[in-house]
Amino acid sequence: MRYDAHEILVGPARSTAHPARLLAGIALGVPVFVALSFGYAALLPILFGPEAWAQIAPGIETASNPQGVLINLFVFGLLIVALGLTLRIIHRRSLWSIIGPRALAIRQFARAMGVMLLLYGALLFLPMPEGMDPVANLTPALWLMLLPLALTGLFLQVFAEELVFRGYLQSQLAARFASPLVWMVLPSLSFAILHYDPVSFGANAWVVVAWAATFGLAAADLTARAGTLGPATALHFVNNFSAIMIAAPRGQFDGLALYAYPFTLDNAEALWAMMPLDLLILVCGWLAIRLSLRR
């Protein structure tokens, strides 16, 4: 069966697969993460100092300066901590039990990363929609100086999301319900709804939600086929690296981008012009990684 490898992640969840346990895990994990986030927010002004914080703070909500992006990315490390505590207390599981065997996960991650980098290299030659060519944002010297911190924060962000949605929720649901319509669709919809942001996206908010749901299904499929989070994490990492570090829409999470697109996320015409290319990249990446898993 195409999802036989999924048992690697599902097996450890069977002993605590009752839906009440999952609800208890969410009821514990969310407040712990919120509490840690409040502590993080309270600590930041002390770490930066009053004068520096006054300059940084306005760019945090939209992540329109480098510090704002990094602050937003590193908070996801606290989500990993909260999930680790939840797994231990509620499910008597370790984080590795929702990642998969270490050597296999790393090997699959590296293979998927190689495939995705080759794909993105090829797609660089595709023409951009008319009027959508990005313009310079950060200087190359500053971008390279921030790159190590940015890569670390970016990995924390994508890895935390994969742990929660494709690792924890997907494996716990699959241990209880056999149908992929439950264990693939529900986490993907949850992942998508968390991307709903009408303030930033305006009338495009549901378009972004639909794209996120499609991404969630692709990542869920890769996880079930691979038996580890390695491939889905690679897909997510390269996608977000491109969207956050290479070229970002102007004024929203563009603080670490080398280039910026000449439009904002609430521009419906621009978003619809870019969406076919984004979907093409996602589908091609998903198919390429699936092929790489057969080797």
Side-chain angles (χ1 to χ4, degrees):
M1 295 290 291
R2 57 181 179 173
Y3 291 147
D4 283 350
H6 201 204
E7 183 63 23
I8 297 172
L9 299 174
V10 175
R14 294 195 187 281
S15 62
T16 58
H18 196 282
R21 288 283 191 126
L22 179 57
L23 292 175
I26 295 170
L28 173 64
V30 171
V32 169
F33 173 58
V34 171
L36 291 173
S37 298
F38 274 113
Y40 176 69
L43 187 61
L44 287 172
I46 300 171
L47 292 176
F48 282 101
E51 293 184 6
W53 184 247
Q55 295 179 337
I56 294 168
I60 293 177
E61 185 175 354
T62 58
S64 55
N65 57 34
Q67 300 94 330
V69 178
L70 290 171
I71 287 168
N72 276 282
L73 293 176
F74 274 90
V75 74
F76 283 87
L78 302 177
L79 181 56
I80 297 175
V81 173
L83 178 59
L85 289 172
T86 298
L87 286 167
R88 285 292 183 187
I89 294 170
I90 303 297
H91 301 282
R92 302 186 187 91
R93 301 178 64 184
S94 68
L95 275 174
W96 278 109
S97 73
I98 63 171
I99 298 170
R102 190 172 312 186
L104 179 62
I106 293 171
R107 186 167 64 250
Q108 290 177 336
F109 174 81
R111 183 179 295 175
M113 279 290 291
V115 167
M116 288 297 294
L117 291 175
L118 287 173
L119 174 64
Y120 267 77
L123 291 173
L124 287 175
F125 295 98
L126 289 178
M128 294 291 295
E130 187 176 352
M132 300 297 169
D133 291 327
V135 296
N137 187 45
L138 290 185
T139 65
L142 178 58
W143 188 83
L144 287 171
M145 184 180 73
L146 294 170
L147 189 60
L149 269 178
L151 290 176
T152 302
L154 191 61
F155 185 81
L156 284 174
Q157 183 241 328
V158 301
F159 192 48
E161 291 185 348
E162 291 308 313
L163 283 169
V164 170
F165 293 100
R166 263 63 71 178
Y168 178 51
L169 293 180
Q170 183 168 317
S171 66
Q172 288 297 140
L173 288 170
R176 182 72 178 187
F177 304 100
S179 174
L181 291 175
V182 176
W183 55 260
M184 285 183 71
V185 172
L186 288 183
S188 298
L189 288 178
S190 301
F191 177 74
I193 291 299
L194 289 177
H195 285 76
Y196 179 69
D197 183 1
V199 175
S200 299
F201 304 142
N204 298 328
W206 287 108
V207 179
V208 175
V209 168
W211 188 94
T214 305
F215 178 91
L217 291 172
D221 175 77
L222 292 177
T223 299
R225 289 176 185 276
T228 81
L229 293 186
T233 302
L235 177 71
H236 203 159
F237 183 84
V238 175
N239 175 81
N240 283 23
F241 179 81
S242 174
I244 294 173
M245 296 295 300
I246 301 299
R250 177 68 66 190
Q252 182 68 32
F253 241 92
D254 60 342
L256 281 176
L258 189 58
Y259 298 96
Y261 291 115
F263 59 84
T264 57
L265 285 172
D266 59 358
N267 185 322
E269 182 180 351
L271 190 68
W272 279 107
M274 294 291 292
M275 190 57 65
L277 180 59
D278 283 348
L279 285 173
L280 174 65
I281 294 171
L282 173 59
V283 172
C284 288
W286 168 62
L287 290 173
I289 293 174
R290 278 183 55 172
L291 288 173
S292 76
L293 293 175
R294 296 179 181 179
R295 292 166 49 192

